[in-house]
Amino acid sequence: MASPTVSRVRRQLPSSPWLFAAPGLLITGAFILYPFVSTLVNAFTDRRTLIPGEFVGLANFRELLHDDMFWIGLRNSTLYVLGVVPALVVLPLLLALLVQKNIPGITFFRSAFYTPVVASIVVVGLIWVWLLDERGLVNSLLEAIGVGRVGFLSDQWLLLLSAMAVTVWKGLGYYMIIYLAALANVPRELHEAAAVDGAGAVRRFLTVTVPAVRSTMVLVGALSSVAAFKVFSEVYLMAGPSGGPAGEDTTLVMLVQRTGTGLTGRVGYASAISVVVFVVTVALMLLVLRADRKDAS
Amino acid sequence: MPLSRRALAAAFAVCVALPLSACGSSGGDSAGADASGKVEGNITFQTWNLRANFKDYFEGLIADFEKKYPGTEVKWIDQPAEGYADKISADAAGGTLPDVVNVSPDLVAPLAKAGLALDLDKAAGKYREEYLDGAWASHQVPGLKGTYAFPWYLNTGPLFYNKTLFKEAGLDPEQPPKTYDEVFDAALTMAEKTDGKVATLANVPTIEDFGRYGVPLMNKEGTAFAFNDAKGVQLLTKYKELYDAKALDPQALTATPESSGKKFLTGAVAMNPGSALDLGNFKKQAPNLYKNIGITDQITSTGHVNMYVMGVMVNAQTKRTPAAVAFAHYVTDAEHQMSFAKKVAIFPSTAGSLDDPYFTKEDGTDETRVRVAAAKSLKNAVNYTPVLFSEQMKTALRNEVAKALQGKESPKEALDNAVAACDRLLQQQG
């Protein structure tokens, strides 16, 4: 039972919890809620950077349906999810299994695999552009072994694949750390029991490790699919501001940036594309979580 | 907890109302701005990536201005080159645009249309005679009356070529191409002799290339684009031929001026446009190239080379119009443009300045040769970039050009589509 003094204070300051929460609420409101609502509202206007817009209903969304570049962006962002997510779910797990063992010098490898995660994406992008250039190291090696030069940065599909490879390379270490934490919680006895039953390494991986880290795999799948659908930096750095040859490597977020920024930016139209990106990413999350629930049941 | 619900409801209402209310705001009108009062007060001045190399110059300039006009104080802001337009647009949209801003004509146009650039014909018409006619006109916007920035420095540049690569391809390094046809012939020869390993050019044609080739870029009223005429198709057809023969770098479709500059530095490309500023870079970054650098005039079929114009705009919503106009004029007057030109390889836009011996007398070095030739060509140079040609339009043209070079569309189809896209964007600009 509260003392009379405490009760009096509570009566005098009925909103004190809100006062404590105010800084967090203000920041959330200003930097998350306001931009979100603002984008939603702008999507239904023809607002431009310097010219206030008017309500145009669904006109922006109707225009999207006839915009070739929007469909190219949607295609590329979807392909990115399909190309990157399976690799980012499986490869970091294998890597985590490799570096999980406590053998001399393993710390070096753990750090080395994590290095791309902490490197700036701009630096990473530039390095890969140099490597994959027509006269870069990779092409020189390919030429030396008689394969000839490959247009990694001039062919529409190779460019997209190259960007995916960079995303996977940069993300491996991050997801590896998540898997390492999950693997640490897999009971050793299960592996020992499986080994006693005669299960080999592959079988133990499939019957013990994978079920034990399944929820982590779902988490990695959900996180990487959202990140892959919203990809910008890798493709922008490798394909250039125009989005590759004839803009064929443009992703949806690149289209938002190109359409909605600058002094003549179509803020309303770019907001409509942003709304589509939001809806698709939420759908992706729900899809992954639903699949997880179905599997679990 | 009725209070907290009310608070939440209010917060939500504010979130919804704020963006809606933003739709109702509109740019100001510069017509009433008066620059005739006393020059005093604090103003802000924004430059475009100049602090790193010219800190002392600008600090001295500002100190002199403050001494000349006691009671004034200039706060200098410098923004990096990358994303400069985005920074200006954020400031303009947020009402924090500095009082005096370093701009290019294509940045001025949307600001003027939004009522954020002061009409200098009205506010500072007395200074008009101090500048070259073409330079003053470069900050006029089709569809609007007035001039919206003081012209500042001009730049143009020659075409650099790698003499060693020319020699290896059997081309005469002392007889560089002078016309478009000669450039195309040399490029095809270079590709053939090097088995496509050395390209002559690294960039797809831009709007300036179409202008220099003699293609009309817009109609006379400035209301629609027109670069899809027969001459435009001819230029693009020739570029397609170069691309197929590998005379154009395979990565040209995604190249930027920076990336093609690097290719020239490494000897992957034989020719590259540049400016007098580049000679210093060659000397520092590629000494071997510098020893074999060839310099030829900018290729043009119109007799007029392309020039780039910088300007200094006054924010129409400044509360210190007299001080802002006085400072913008001070930065761009003949004396200060001349002293700035002597620090860096740029050219003044003030009348008579280009007749100074600094721009007319050679001393036998490459630097002065480039400077004198550029200054001479600037007297009748043209800024071929239409002021209404936005970044989105540049991308639309670039993408259609790429489709033509890849053979996905004919040159005529590609240019028709580019013009249609640019016209649509022009109408959307309002």
Side-chain angles (χ1 to χ4, degrees), chain A residues 173-198:
Chain A
Y174 177 72
Y175 296 114
M176 178 192 79
I177 295 289
I178 295 177
Y179 278 125
L180 274 175
L183 287 172
N185 291 325
V186 179
R188 186 186 290 264
E189 299 79 37
L190 286 178
H191 277 283
E192 288 167 355
V196 168
D197 286 346

PDB file of all heavy atoms in Angstrom, chain A residues 173-198:
ATOM      1  N   GLY A 173      29.648 -11.884 -42.566  1.00  0.00           N
ATOM      2  CA  GLY A 173      30.195 -11.766 -41.212  1.00  0.00           C
ATOM      3  C   GLY A 173      29.132 -11.402 -40.187  1.00  0.00           C
ATOM      4  O   GLY A 173      29.111 -11.923 -39.071  1.00  0.00           O
ATOM      5  N   TYR A 174      28.227 -10.502 -40.598  1.00  0.00           N
ATOM      6  CA  TYR A 174      27.176 -10.046 -39.680  1.00  0.00           C
ATOM      7  C   TYR A 174      26.281 -11.213 -39.265  1.00  0.00           C
ATOM      8  O   TYR A 174      26.034 -11.446 -38.070  1.00  0.00           O
ATOM      9  CB  TYR A 174      26.360  -8.946 -40.380  1.00  0.00           C
ATOM     10  CG  TYR A 174      25.202  -8.437 -39.584  1.00  0.00           C
ATOM     11  CD1 TYR A 174      25.407  -7.627 -38.467  1.00  0.00           C
ATOM     12  CD2 TYR A 174      23.887  -8.752 -39.939  1.00  0.00           C
ATOM     13  CE1 TYR A 174      24.339  -7.151 -37.735  1.00  0.00           C
ATOM     14  CE2 TYR A 174      22.824  -8.276 -39.208  1.00  0.00           C
ATOM     15  CZ  TYR A 174      23.046  -7.481 -38.109  1.00  0.00           C
ATOM     16  OH  TYR A 174      21.984  -7.010 -37.388  1.00  0.00           O
ATOM     17  N   TYR A 175      25.795 -11.943 -40.271  1.00  0.00           N
ATOM     18  CA  TYR A 175      24.905 -13.063 -39.954  1.00  0.00           C
ATOM     19  C   TYR A 175      25.680 -14.224 -39.317  1.00  0.00           C
ATOM     20  O   TYR A 175      25.109 -14.997 -38.556  1.00  0.00           O
ATOM     21  CB  TYR A 175      24.150 -13.502 -41.207  1.00  0.00           C
ATOM     22  CG  TYR A 175      23.221 -12.407 -41.711  1.00  0.00           C
ATOM     23  CD1 TYR A 175      23.426 -11.779 -42.934  1.00  0.00           C
ATOM     24  CD2 TYR A 175      22.167 -11.974 -40.921  1.00  0.00           C
ATOM     25  CE1 TYR A 175      22.588 -10.757 -43.368  1.00  0.00           C
ATOM     26  CE2 TYR A 175      21.321 -10.954 -41.330  1.00  0.00           C
ATOM     27  CZ  TYR A 175      21.538 -10.346 -42.563  1.00  0.00           C
ATOM     28  OH  TYR A 175      20.711  -9.328 -42.966  1.00  0.00           O
ATOM     29  N   MET A 176      26.975 -14.335 -39.640  1.00  0.00           N
ATOM     30  CA  MET A 176      27.811 -15.356 -39.008  1.00  0.00           C
ATOM     31  C   MET A 176      27.823 -15.178 -37.481  1.00  0.00           C
ATOM     32  O   MET A 176      27.714 -16.148 -36.728  1.00  0.00           O
ATOM     33  CB  MET A 176      29.243 -15.251 -39.550  1.00  0.00           C
ATOM     34  CG  MET A 176      30.230 -16.217 -38.932  1.00  0.00           C
ATOM     35  SD  MET A 176      31.925 -15.774 -39.377  1.00  0.00           S
ATOM     36  CE  MET A 176      32.255 -14.433 -38.235  1.00  0.00           C
ATOM     37  N   ILE A 177      27.908 -13.919 -37.055  1.00  0.00           N
ATOM     38  CA  ILE A 177      27.926 -13.639 -35.610  1.00  0.00           C
ATOM     39  C   ILE A 177      26.600 -14.070 -34.971  1.00  0.00           C
ATOM     40  O   ILE A 177      26.572 -14.663 -33.894  1.00  0.00           O
ATOM     41  CB  ILE A 177      28.171 -12.125 -35.359  1.00  0.00           C
ATOM     42  CG1 ILE A 177      29.569 -11.730 -35.842  1.00  0.00           C
ATOM     43  CG2 ILE A 177      27.958 -11.750 -33.918  1.00  0.00           C
ATOM     44  CD1 ILE A 177      30.689 -12.261 -34.985  1.00  0.00           C
ATOM     45  N   ILE A 178      25.496 -13.784 -35.672  1.00  0.00           N
ATOM     46  CA  ILE A 178      24.187 -14.176 -35.134  1.00  0.00           C
ATOM     47  C   ILE A 178      24.129 -15.703 -35.003  1.00  0.00           C
ATOM     48  O   ILE A 178      23.671 -16.253 -33.993  1.00  0.00           O
ATOM     49  CB  ILE A 178      23.045 -13.656 -36.046  1.00  0.00           C
ATOM     50  CG1 ILE A 178      23.036 -12.122 -36.027  1.00  0.00           C
ATOM     51  CG2 ILE A 178      21.688 -14.209 -35.608  1.00  0.00           C
ATOM     52  CD1 ILE A 178      22.006 -11.485 -36.927  1.00  0.00           C
ATOM     53  N   TYR A 179      24.614 -16.395 -36.047  1.00  0.00           N
ATOM     54  CA  TYR A 179      24.595 -17.867 -36.001  1.00  0.00           C
ATOM     55  C   TYR A 179      25.532 -18.410 -34.917  1.00  0.00           C
ATOM     56  O   TYR A 179      25.228 -19.421 -34.282  1.00  0.00           O
ATOM     57  CB  TYR A 179      24.996 -18.450 -37.357  1.00  0.00           C
ATOM     58  CG  TYR A 179      23.858 -18.490 -38.358  1.00  0.00           C
ATOM     59  CD1 TYR A 179      23.975 -17.892 -39.601  1.00  0.00           C
ATOM     60  CD2 TYR A 179      22.672 -19.156 -38.055  1.00  0.00           C
ATOM     61  CE1 TYR A 179      22.940 -17.941 -40.524  1.00  0.00           C
ATOM     62  CE2 TYR A 179      21.626 -19.209 -38.968  1.00  0.00           C
ATOM     63  CZ  TYR A 179      21.763 -18.592 -40.206  1.00  0.00           C
ATOM     64  OH  TYR A 179      20.738 -18.643 -41.097  1.00  0.00           O
ATOM     65  N   LEU A 180      26.665 -17.749 -34.719  1.00  0.00           N
ATOM     66  CA  LEU A 180      27.598 -18.204 -33.681  1.00  0.00           C
ATOM     67  C   LEU A 180      26.916 -18.195 -32.319  1.00  0.00           C
ATOM     68  O   LEU A 180      27.066 -19.128 -31.515  1.00  0.00           O
ATOM     69  CB  LEU A 180      28.845 -17.308 -33.653  1.00  0.00           C
ATOM     70  CG  LEU A 180      29.978 -17.675 -34.620  1.00  0.00           C
ATOM     71  CD1 LEU A 180      31.087 -16.647 -34.571  1.00  0.00           C
ATOM     72  CD2 LEU A 180      30.539 -19.062 -34.279  1.00  0.00           C
ATOM     73  N   ALA A 181      26.150 -17.145 -32.075  1.00  0.00           N
ATOM     74  CA  ALA A 181      25.429 -17.052 -30.801  1.00  0.00           C
ATOM     75  C   ALA A 181      24.418 -18.182 -30.691  1.00  0.00           C
ATOM     76  O   ALA A 181      24.262 -18.806 -29.623  1.00  0.00           O
ATOM     77  CB  ALA A 181      24.734 -15.697 -30.702  1.00  0.00           C
ATOM     78  N   ALA A 182      23.730 -18.462 -31.809  1.00  0.00           N
ATOM     79  CA  ALA A 182      22.726 -19.529 -31.779  1.00  0.00           C
ATOM     80  C   ALA A 182      23.387 -20.900 -31.609  1.00  0.00           C
ATOM     81  O   ALA A 182      22.890 -21.752 -30.854  1.00  0.00           O
ATOM     82  CB  ALA A 182      21.913 -19.502 -33.066  1.00  0.00           C
ATOM     83  N   LEU A 183      24.492 -21.104 -32.292  1.00  0.00           N
ATOM     84  CA  LEU A 183      25.181 -22.398 -32.218  1.00  0.00           C
ATOM     85  C   LEU A 183      25.710 -22.675 -30.810  1.00  0.00           C
ATOM     86  O   LEU A 183      25.781 -23.828 -30.375  1.00  0.00           O
ATOM     87  CB  LEU A 183      26.341 -22.442 -33.222  1.00  0.00           C
ATOM     88  CG  LEU A 183      25.935 -22.565 -34.700  1.00  0.00           C
ATOM     89  CD1 LEU A 183      27.147 -22.409 -35.606  1.00  0.00           C
ATOM     90  CD2 LEU A 183      25.252 -23.893 -34.957  1.00  0.00           C
ATOM     91  N   ALA A 184      26.068 -21.601 -30.109  1.00  0.00           N
ATOM     92  CA  ALA A 184      26.587 -21.770 -28.752  1.00  0.00           C
ATOM     93  C   ALA A 184      25.537 -22.374 -27.832  1.00  0.00           C
ATOM     94  O   ALA A 184      25.859 -22.945 -26.789  1.00  0.00           O
ATOM     95  CB  ALA A 184      27.065 -20.423 -28.212  1.00  0.00           C
ATOM     96  N   ASN A 185      24.252 -22.198 -28.235  1.00  0.00           N
ATOM     97  CA  ASN A 185      23.170 -22.714 -27.383  1.00  0.00           C
ATOM     98  C   ASN A 185      22.698 -24.110 -27.795  1.00  0.00           C
ATOM     99  O   ASN A 185      21.743 -24.624 -27.213  1.00  0.00           O
ATOM    100  CB  ASN A 185      21.973 -21.746 -27.431  1.00  0.00           C
ATOM    101  CG  ASN A 185      22.315 -20.443 -26.736  1.00  0.00           C
ATOM    102  OD1 ASN A 185      23.034 -20.442 -25.745  1.00  0.00           O
ATOM    103  ND2 ASN A 185      21.834 -19.340 -27.290  1.00  0.00           N
ATOM    104  N   VAL A 186      23.308 -24.676 -28.827  1.00  0.00           N
ATOM    105  CA  VAL A 186      22.905 -26.032 -29.232  1.00  0.00           C
ATOM    106  C   VAL A 186      23.568 -27.025 -28.269  1.00  0.00           C
ATOM    107  O   VAL A 186      24.796 -27.044 -28.154  1.00  0.00           O
ATOM    108  CB  VAL A 186      23.344 -26.329 -30.683  1.00  0.00           C
ATOM    109  CG1 VAL A 186      22.931 -27.746 -31.088  1.00  0.00           C
ATOM    110  CG2 VAL A 186      22.745 -25.311 -31.634  1.00  0.00           C
ATOM    111  N   PRO A 187      22.778 -27.836 -27.557  1.00  0.00           N
ATOM    112  CA  PRO A 187      23.378 -28.761 -26.572  1.00  0.00           C
ATOM    113  C   PRO A 187      24.364 -29.729 -27.233  1.00  0.00           C
ATOM    114  O   PRO A 187      24.045 -30.342 -28.253  1.00  0.00           O
ATOM    115  CB  PRO A 187      22.169 -29.517 -26.016  1.00  0.00           C
ATOM    116  CG  PRO A 187      20.983 -28.698 -26.371  1.00  0.00           C
ATOM    117  CD  PRO A 187      21.319 -27.949 -27.600  1.00  0.00           C
ATOM    118  N   ARG A 188      25.532 -29.818 -26.630  1.00  0.00           N
ATOM    119  CA  ARG A 188      26.587 -30.691 -27.157  1.00  0.00           C
ATOM    120  C   ARG A 188      26.146 -32.170 -27.119  1.00  0.00           C
ATOM    121  O   ARG A 188      26.497 -32.951 -28.006  1.00  0.00           O
ATOM    122  CB  ARG A 188      27.864 -30.505 -26.312  1.00  0.00           C
ATOM    123  CG  ARG A 188      29.074 -31.232 -26.813  1.00  0.00           C
ATOM    124  CD  ARG A 188      30.192 -31.081 -25.813  1.00  0.00           C
ATOM    125  NE  ARG A 188      30.688 -29.721 -25.777  1.00  0.00           N
ATOM    126  CZ  ARG A 188      31.757 -29.322 -26.465  1.00  0.00           C
ATOM    127  NH1 ARG A 188      32.414 -30.168 -27.210  1.00  0.00           N
ATOM    128  NH2 ARG A 188      32.183 -28.094 -26.395  1.00  0.00           N
ATOM    129  N   GLU A 189      25.299 -32.476 -26.096  1.00  0.00           N
ATOM    130  CA  GLU A 189      24.880 -33.875 -25.929  1.00  0.00           C
ATOM    131  C   GLU A 189      24.136 -34.390 -27.159  1.00  0.00           C
ATOM    132  O   GLU A 189      24.208 -35.573 -27.502  1.00  0.00           O
ATOM    133  CB  GLU A 189      23.956 -34.031 -24.701  1.00  0.00           C
ATOM    134  CG  GLU A 189      24.571 -33.649 -23.372  1.00  0.00           C
ATOM    135  CD  GLU A 189      24.590 -32.131 -23.170  1.00  0.00           C
ATOM    136  OE1 GLU A 189      23.631 -31.444 -23.583  1.00  0.00           O
ATOM    137  OE2 GLU A 189      25.586 -31.635 -22.618  1.00  0.00           O
ATOM    138  N   LEU A 190      23.376 -33.491 -27.799  1.00  0.00           N
ATOM    139  CA  LEU A 190      22.609 -33.912 -28.978  1.00  0.00           C
ATOM    140  C   LEU A 190      23.544 -34.394 -30.085  1.00  0.00           C
ATOM    141  O   LEU A 190      23.311 -35.415 -30.731  1.00  0.00           O
ATOM    142  CB  LEU A 190      21.756 -32.742 -29.495  1.00  0.00           C
ATOM    143  CG  LEU A 190      20.529 -32.374 -28.668  1.00  0.00           C
ATOM    144  CD1 LEU A 190      19.821 -31.172 -29.276  1.00  0.00           C
ATOM    145  CD2 LEU A 190      19.569 -33.548 -28.572  1.00  0.00           C
ATOM    146  N   HIS A 191      24.625 -33.645 -30.279  1.00  0.00           N
ATOM    147  CA  HIS A 191      25.617 -34.024 -31.296  1.00  0.00           C
ATOM    148  C   HIS A 191      26.267 -35.355 -30.904  1.00  0.00           C
ATOM    149  O   HIS A 191      26.457 -36.238 -31.742  1.00  0.00           O
ATOM    150  CB  HIS A 191      26.698 -32.941 -31.423  1.00  0.00           C
ATOM    151  CG  HIS A 191      26.276 -31.820 -32.298  1.00  0.00           C
ATOM    152  ND1 HIS A 191      26.256 -31.909 -33.668  1.00  0.00           N
ATOM    153  CD2 HIS A 191      25.847 -30.576 -31.994  1.00  0.00           C
ATOM    154  CE1 HIS A 191      25.828 -30.769 -34.179  1.00  0.00           C
ATOM    155  NE2 HIS A 191      25.579 -29.929 -33.179  1.00  0.00           N
ATOM    156  N   GLU A 192      26.581 -35.458 -29.594  1.00  0.00           N
ATOM    157  CA  GLU A 192      27.259 -36.676 -29.127  1.00  0.00           C
ATOM    158  C   GLU A 192      26.342 -37.897 -29.292  1.00  0.00           C
ATOM    159  O   GLU A 192      26.767 -38.961 -29.770  1.00  0.00           O
ATOM    160  CB  GLU A 192      27.674 -36.522 -27.676  1.00  0.00           C
ATOM    161  CG  GLU A 192      28.855 -35.560 -27.507  1.00  0.00           C
ATOM    162  CD  GLU A 192      29.094 -35.149 -26.063  1.00  0.00           C
ATOM    163  OE1 GLU A 192      28.295 -35.527 -25.183  1.00  0.00           O
ATOM    164  OE2 GLU A 192      30.078 -34.433 -25.848  1.00  0.00           O
ATOM    165  N   ALA A 193      25.054 -37.688 -28.966  1.00  0.00           N
ATOM    166  CA  ALA A 193      24.100 -38.789 -29.100  1.00  0.00           C
ATOM    167  C   ALA A 193      23.961 -39.205 -30.561  1.00  0.00           C
ATOM    168  O   ALA A 193      23.931 -40.404 -30.883  1.00  0.00           O
ATOM    169  CB  ALA A 193      22.748 -38.364 -28.542  1.00  0.00           C
ATOM    170  N   ALA A 194      23.881 -38.201 -31.440  1.00  0.00           N
ATOM    171  CA  ALA A 194      23.755 -38.502 -32.867  1.00  0.00           C
ATOM    172  C   ALA A 194      24.994 -39.230 -33.371  1.00  0.00           C
ATOM    173  O   ALA A 194      24.895 -40.165 -34.172  1.00  0.00           O
ATOM    174  CB  ALA A 194      23.546 -37.207 -33.643  1.00  0.00           C
ATOM    175  N   ALA A 195      26.165 -38.810 -32.865  1.00  0.00           N
ATOM    176  CA  ALA A 195      27.415 -39.441 -33.285  1.00  0.00           C
ATOM    177  C   ALA A 195      27.459 -40.898 -32.841  1.00  0.00           C
ATOM    178  O   ALA A 195      27.877 -41.785 -33.590  1.00  0.00           O
ATOM    179  CB  ALA A 195      28.610 -38.667 -32.719  1.00  0.00           C
ATOM    180  N   VAL A 196      26.971 -41.126 -31.587  1.00  0.00           N
ATOM    181  CA  VAL A 196      26.937 -42.499 -31.067  1.00  0.00           C
ATOM    182  C   VAL A 196      26.033 -43.367 -31.945  1.00  0.00           C
ATOM    183  O   VAL A 196      26.301 -44.540 -32.212  1.00  0.00           O
ATOM    184  CB  VAL A 196      26.454 -42.512 -29.585  1.00  0.00           C
ATOM    185  CG1 VAL A 196      26.132 -43.906 -29.115  1.00  0.00           C
ATOM    186  CG2 VAL A 196      27.508 -41.862 -28.708  1.00  0.00           C
ATOM    187  N   ASP A 197      24.927 -42.723 -32.433  1.00  0.00           N
ATOM    188  CA  ASP A 197      24.000 -43.465 -33.306  1.00  0.00           C
ATOM    189  C   ASP A 197      24.557 -43.665 -34.710  1.00  0.00           C
ATOM    190  O   ASP A 197      23.868 -44.192 -35.594  1.00  0.00           O
ATOM    191  CB  ASP A 197      22.661 -42.712 -33.404  1.00  0.00           C
ATOM    192  CG  ASP A 197      21.871 -42.871 -32.102  1.00  0.00           C
ATOM    193  OD1 ASP A 197      22.252 -43.741 -31.305  1.00  0.00           O
ATOM    194  OD2 ASP A 197      20.914 -42.110 -31.898  1.00  0.00           O
ATOM    195  N   GLY A 198      25.751 -43.136 -34.943  1.00  0.00           N
ATOM    196  CA  GLY A 198      26.403 -43.386 -36.228  1.00  0.00           C
ATOM    197  C   GLY A 198      26.170 -42.308 -37.270  1.00  0.00           C
ATOM    198  O   GLY A 198      26.472 -42.492 -38.459  1.00  0.00           O
TER     199      GLY A 198
END
